[in-house]
Coordinates of all heavy atoms in Angstrom, one line a residue:
S22 N 79.6 65.8 197.2 CA 81.0 65.4 196.9 C 81.9 66.5 197.0 O 81.6 67.7 196.6 CB 81.1 64.8 195.5 OG 81.3 65.7 194.6
K26 N 83.7 65.4 203.7 CA 83.1 64.4 204.7 C 83.9 63.2 204.8 O 83.9 62.6 205.9 CB 81.6 64.2 204.3 CG 81.5 63.4 203.0 CD 80.0 63.3 202.7 CE 79.8 63.0 201.2 NZ 80.9 62.3 200.5
D43 N 82.5 53.9 204.4 CA 82.5 54.9 203.3 C 81.4 54.3 202.3 O 81.7 53.6 201.4 CB 83.9 54.8 202.6 CG 84.0 55.5 201.3 OD1 82.9 56.1 200.8 OD2 85.0 55.4 200.6
S44 N 80.1 54.8 202.5 CA 79.1 54.2 201.7 C 79.2 54.5 200.2 O 78.7 53.8 199.4 CB 77.7 54.6 202.3 OG 77.6 56.1 202.1
G45 N 79.8 55.7 199.9 CA 80.0 56.0 198.4 C 80.8 54.9 197.7 O 80.5 54.7 196.6
A46 N 81.7 54.3 198.4 CA 82.6 53.2 197.8 C 81.6 52.1 197.3 O 81.9 51.5 196.3 CB 83.6 52.8 198.8
Y48 N 78.6 52.3 196.1 CA 77.9 52.6 194.8 C 79.0 52.8 193.7 O 78.7 52.4 192.6 CB 77.2 54.0 195.0 CG 76.0 53.9 195.9 CD1 76.0 54.2 197.3 CD2 74.8 53.3 195.4 CE1 75.0 54.0 198.1 CE2 73.7 53.1 196.3 CZ 73.8 53.4 197.6 OH 72.7 53.3 198.5
R49 N 80.2 53.2 194.1 CA 81.3 53.3 193.1 C 81.6 51.9 192.6 O 81.8 51.7 191.4 CB 82.5 54.0 193.7 CG 82.3 55.5 193.9 CD 83.5 56.1 194.6 NE 83.3 57.6 194.8 CZ 83.8 58.5 194.0 NH1 84.5 58.1 193.0 NH2 83.5 59.8 194.3
R102 N 88.1 55.8 192.2 CA 88.2 57.2 192.7 C 88.3 58.2 191.6 O 88.3 59.5 191.8 CB 89.6 57.4 193.5 CG 89.6 56.7 194.8 CD 88.5 57.2 195.7 NE 88.1 56.2 196.7 CZ 87.0 56.1 197.4 NH1 86.0 57.0 197.1 NH2 86.7 55.1 198.2
G107 N 82.8 58.3 189.9 CA 81.8 59.0 190.7 C 80.5 59.2 190.0 O 79.4 59.1 190.6
A110 N 78.6 56.0 189.6 CA 78.1 55.7 190.9 C 76.8 56.4 191.1 O 75.7 55.9 191.6 CB 79.0 56.0 192.0
S111 N 76.7 57.7 190.7 CA 75.5 58.5 191.0 C 74.3 58.1 190.1 O 73.2 58.3 190.5 CB 75.8 60.0 191.0 OG 75.7 60.5 189.8
A114 N 73.1 54.8 191.8 CA 72.6 55.1 193.1 C 71.1 55.7 193.1 O 70.5 55.8 194.0 CB 73.5 56.1 193.8
R120 N 69.2 50.8 195.9 CA 69.5 51.3 197.3 C 68.9 50.3 198.3 O 69.5 50.1 199.3 CB 68.8 52.7 197.4 CG 69.3 53.7 196.4 CD 68.9 55.1 196.8 NE 69.7 55.5 197.9 CZ 70.9 56.1 197.8 NH1 71.4 56.3 196.6 NH2 71.6 56.5 198.8
Q127 N 74.9 47.9 204.5 CA 75.5 49.1 205.1 C 75.3 49.1 206.6 O 76.1 49.4 207.4 CB 74.8 50.4 204.5 CG 75.2 50.6 203.1 CD 74.5 51.8 202.4 OE1 74.9 52.9 202.6 NE2 73.3 51.5 201.8
D139 N 79.8 57.7 206.4 CA 79.7 58.9 205.6 C 79.0 58.6 204.2 O 79.2 57.5 203.7 CB 81.1 59.6 205.4 CG 81.9 59.2 204.3 OD1 81.5 59.4 203.2 OD2 83.0 58.5 204.5
G140 N 78.2 59.5 203.8 CA 77.6 59.3 202.5 C 76.6 60.5 202.2 O 76.9 61.7 202.4
R141 N 75.4 60.1 201.6 CA 74.4 61.1 201.3 C 73.1 60.9 202.2 O 72.4 61.8 202.4 CB 74.0 60.9 199.8 CG 75.1 61.0 198.8 CD 75.7 62.4 198.8 NE 76.7 62.6 197.7 CZ 77.8 62.1 197.7 NH1 78.2 61.3 198.8 NH2 78.7 62.3 196.7
D142 N 72.9 59.6 202.6 CA 71.6 59.3 203.3 C 71.9 58.6 204.5 O 71.0 57.8 205.0 CB 70.7 58.5 202.4 CG 71.3 57.2 201.9 OD1 72.5 57.0 202.1 OD2 70.5 56.3 201.6
M143 N 73.1 58.7 205.1 CA 73.3 58.0 206.3 C 72.4 58.4 207.5 O 71.9 57.5 208.2 CB 74.8 58.2 206.8 CG 75.9 57.7 205.8 SD 75.8 55.9 205.5 CE 74.8 55.9 204.0
R191 N 76.6 66.3 189.4 CA 76.4 65.3 190.4 C 75.5 65.8 191.6 O 74.6 65.1 192.0 CB 77.7 64.8 190.9 CG 77.7 63.6 191.8 CD 78.6 62.5 191.3 NE 79.9 62.8 191.4 CZ 80.7 62.4 192.5 NH1 80.1 61.8 193.5 NH2 82.0 62.7 192.6
D195 N 72.1 64.0 192.7 CA 72.0 63.5 194.0 C 70.8 64.2 194.8 O 70.2 63.5 195.6 CB 73.3 63.6 194.7 CG 74.3 62.7 194.3 OD1 74.0 61.7 193.5 OD2 75.5 62.7 194.7
R198 N 67.0 63.3 193.0 CA 66.4 61.9 192.8 C 65.2 61.7 193.8 O 65.2 62.3 194.9 CB 67.5 60.9 193.0 CG 68.0 60.7 194.3 CD 69.2 59.8 194.4 NE 69.7 59.7 195.7 CZ 71.0 59.5 196.0 NH1 71.8 59.2 195.0 NH2 71.4 59.5 197.2
Ligands
C5P302 O1 80.7 59.9 198.4 P1 81.1 59.5 196.9 O2 81.4 60.7 196.1 O3 82.1 58.5 196.9 O4 79.8 58.9 196.3 C1 79.6 58.6 195.0 C2 78.1 58.6 194.5 O5 77.4 57.6 195.2 C3 77.4 59.9 195.0 O6 77.5 60.9 194.0 C4 76.0 59.5 195.2 O7 75.3 59.5 193.9 C5 76.1 58.0 195.5 N1 76.0 57.8 197.0 C6 74.7 57.7 197.5 N2 74.4 57.5 198.7 C7 75.4 57.4 199.6 C8 76.8 57.5 199.2 C9 76.9 57.8 197.9 O8 73.7 57.8 196.7 N3 75.1 57.1 200.9

Side-chain angles (χ1 to χ4, degrees):
S22 89
K26 66 186 160 31
D43 166 8
S44 62
Y48 294 98
R49 287 173 181 264
R102 291 300 155 202
S111 90
R120 304 197 71 86
Q127 295 175 83
D139 88 71
R141 303 293 185 289
D142 62 340
M143 296 299 98
R191 188 126 69 93
D195 288 350
R198 69 185 175 211

